[in-house]
């Protein structure tokens, strides 16, 4: 498991660690804040070249929690602040 950045805080309550321990999961973490813009650019380009094809081939997928119309952005922020979301939140913009 790779964790890049922490948007929801560093404390995780009521987490059962037995399942990842039984699967011998290794956790690697990194913060990008102190990194240079050049490093972040290179990392983004490497991700695009190596990981994006896996998404297109359905070998990996993002976990999508909800899709909301852009007009509900205030409600979405309230849910995020209350930490009621699990997975990615997508705002749908109609053009």
């Amino acid at each position: 498991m790779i964790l890049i950045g922490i948007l929801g805080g560093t404390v995780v309550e009521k987490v059962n660690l037995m399942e990842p321990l039984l699967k011998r999961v290794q956790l690697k973490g990194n913060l990008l804040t102190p990194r240079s813009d050049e490093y972040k650019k290179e990392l983004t380009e490497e991700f695009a070249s190596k990981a994006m094809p896996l998404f297109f081939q359905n070998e990996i997928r993002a976990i999508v929690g909800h899709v909301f119309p852009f007009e509900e952005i205030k409600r979405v922020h309230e849910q995020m602040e209350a930490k009621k979301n699990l997975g990615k939140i997508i705002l749908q913009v109609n053009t």
Side-chain angles (χ1 to χ4, degrees):
M1 178 185 314
I2 299 173
L3 178 64
I4 301 175
I6 302 172
L7 296 176
T10 58
V11 177
V12 180
E13 297 180 22
K14 298 181 181 179
V15 174
N16 181 354
L17 294 175
M18 187 54 71
E19 187 172 338
L21 287 172
L22 290 172
K23 293 182 179 181
R24 294 188 172 100
V25 170
Q26 294 181 13
L27 175 62
K28 294 185 179 197
N30 197 345
L31 293 173
L32 295 178
T33 305
R35 301 291 190 136
S36 70
D37 289 343
E38 182 62 28
Y39 176 82
K40 294 175 191 176
K41 177 182 174 281
E42 291 171 5
L43 189 64
T44 302
E45 289 171 350
E46 184 177 359
F47 175 82
S49 69
K50 292 183 176 179
M52 290 306 292
L54 299 175
F55 283 102
F56 292 125
Q57 297 163 7
N58 290 321
E59 292 187 37
I60 60 175
R61 64 182 179 87
I63 298 172
V64 177
H66 295 286
V67 178
F68 293 97
F70 187 78
E71 295 76 25
E72 293 184 29
I73 194 165
K74 183 178 178 189
R75 190 177 117 207
V76 172
H77 263 279
E78 290 168 355
Q79 285 192 348
M80 287 174 49
E81 289 168 3
K83 298 183 180 173
K84 293 183 178 178
N85 58 302
L86 178 64
K88 300 296 178 191
I89 296 172
I90 297 175
L91 288 174
Q92 188 172 28
V93 180
N94 295 326
T95 56

